[in-house]
């Protein structure tokens, strides 16, 4: 058993369209929310356009003001600690991006920034992940449904989660601790933990 599997954390998957209440939910089709131990979330976001004007992604004043699939994918990435998305030219690489916290300082309008990580994969890899995640979403469709990572370790998406995300220097110490907690209180957030700020992957 690999070291990662010693952390036999739970996995639950949701179609993002299930989470959107507005009539624009269709823009979120193909996006999956993967929750590890119900607390650490990795978003799988289909490919979107990246250019200098919209990268890193910036949130609008009204986050519900989504007018296209591309915007939904950009906004999801802008709000996520960890994102997996297909960009074949950068497959195998990762990039840190600033994430707006959504809280403004009382004395000025500067938005506090956190850091998110985008993991790039090939189109073929993402297609395989999407098929597996769709099946897992049906298996874990209830609010408290989940599977152990050891039960799905042969899936390509599980191998990627373990080898490329959990074992990545970009994965925070706090989140690693969350994945090792298997007691009944594992859903309660840890207090006083901070994320590492790793170097950008080449």
């Amino acid at each position: 058993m690999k070291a990662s599997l010693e952390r036999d954390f739970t996995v639950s998957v949701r179609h993002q369209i299930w989470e959107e209440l507005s009539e624009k939910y269709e823009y979120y089709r193909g996006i999956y929310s993967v929750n590890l131990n119900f607390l650490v979330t990795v978003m799988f976001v289909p490919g979107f356009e990246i250019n200098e004007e919209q990268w890193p992604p910036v949130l609008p004043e009204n986050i519900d003001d989504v007018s296209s699939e591309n915007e939904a994918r950009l906004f999801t990435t802008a709000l996520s600690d960890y994102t997996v998305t297909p960009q074949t030219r950068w497959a195998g690489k990762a990039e840190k991006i600033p994430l707006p916290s959504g809280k403004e300082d009382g004395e000025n309008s500067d938005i506090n920034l956190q850091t998110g990580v985008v993991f790039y994969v090939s189109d073929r890899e993402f297609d395989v992940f999407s098929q597996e995640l769709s099946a897992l979403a049906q298996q874990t469709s209830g609010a408290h449904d989940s599977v152990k990572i050891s039960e799905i370790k042969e899936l390509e998406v599980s191998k990627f989660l373990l080898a490329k995300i959990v074992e990545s220097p970009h994965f925070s110490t706090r989140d690693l601790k969350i994945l090792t907690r298997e007691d009944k209180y594992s859903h309660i957030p840890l207090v006083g933990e901070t994320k590492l700020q790793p170097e950008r992957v080449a």
Side-chain angles (χ1 to χ4, degrees):
M1 180 178 289
K2 290 185 178 181
S4 296
L5 285 176
E6 292 176 4
R7 307 181 185 95
D8 199 9
F9 50 85
T10 63
V11 179
S12 56
V13 180
R14 303 284 292 175
H15 289 278
Q16 192 59 26
I17 56 172
W18 294 350
E19 310 303 313
E20 301 300 323
L21 300 178
S22 77
E23 67 281 0
K24 299 179 180 180
Y25 73 94
E26 279 290 344
Y27 291 145
Y28 292 85
R29 186 170 295 279
I31 299 176
Y32 292 92
S33 172
V34 179
N35 296 298
L36 314 179
N37 262 9
F38 294 102
L39 282 175
V40 181
T41 301
V42 181
M43 299 302 296
F44 283 73
V45 179
F48 49 83
E49 182 182 354
I50 293 179
N51 58 52
E52 292 183 1
E53 294 182 0
Q54 64 183 23
W55 194 258
V58 178
L59 295 176
E61 290 185 8
N62 181 2
I63 190 59
D64 293 323
D65 186 20
V66 178
S67 60
S68 68
E69 281 187 346
N70 198 65
E71 286 188 351
R73 295 170 183 182
L74 279 167
F75 296 167
T76 299
T77 301
L79 291 169
S80 304
D81 289 335
Y82 307 106
T83 301
V84 179
T85 192
Q87 291 285 341
T88 297
R89 56 182 168 164
W90 299 323
K93 297 184 179 181
E95 178 180 8
K96 290 199 309 181
I97 62 171
L99 299 181
S101 68
K103 297 181 180 179
E104 296 187 359
D105 188 288
E107 298 182 0
N108 59 60
S109 60
D110 292 337
I111 296 179
N112 298 320
L113 294 179
Q114 299 173 335
T115 301
V117 185
V118 181
F119 296 87
Y120 297 110
V121 298
S122 68
D123 292 329
R124 185 196 64 79
E125 286 178 297
F126 195 84
D127 287 345
V128 172
F129 296 162
S130 294
Q131 293 175 18
E132 294 177 341
L133 291 172
S134 180
L136 285 172
Q138 298 303 320
Q139 188 176 349
T140 62
S141 58
H144 303 291
D145 292 343
S146 65
V147 294
K148 290 285 191 177
I149 188 68
S150 61
E151 298 170 350
I152 57 171
K153 63 183 180 181
E154 298 306 321
L155 296 182
E156 292 303 315
V157 71
S158 300
K159 295 174 184 177
F160 184 84
L161 285 168
L162 289 168
K164 301 299 183 180
I165 296 183
V166 175
E167 293 295 330
S168 166
H170 290 267
F171 200 72
S172 76
T173 299
R174 176 183 182 275
D175 290 344
L176 274 175
K177 289 181 178 180
I178 288 172
L179 297 195
T180 61
R181 301 170 74 205
E182 299 182 17
D183 57 64
K184 65 180 179 179
Y185 300 109
S186 63
H187 65 286
I188 301 175
L190 297 175
V191 177
E193 300 288 348
T194 58
K195 285 194 170 187
L196 295 175
Q197 297 298 321
E199 297 294 327
R200 178 173 177 175
V201 174

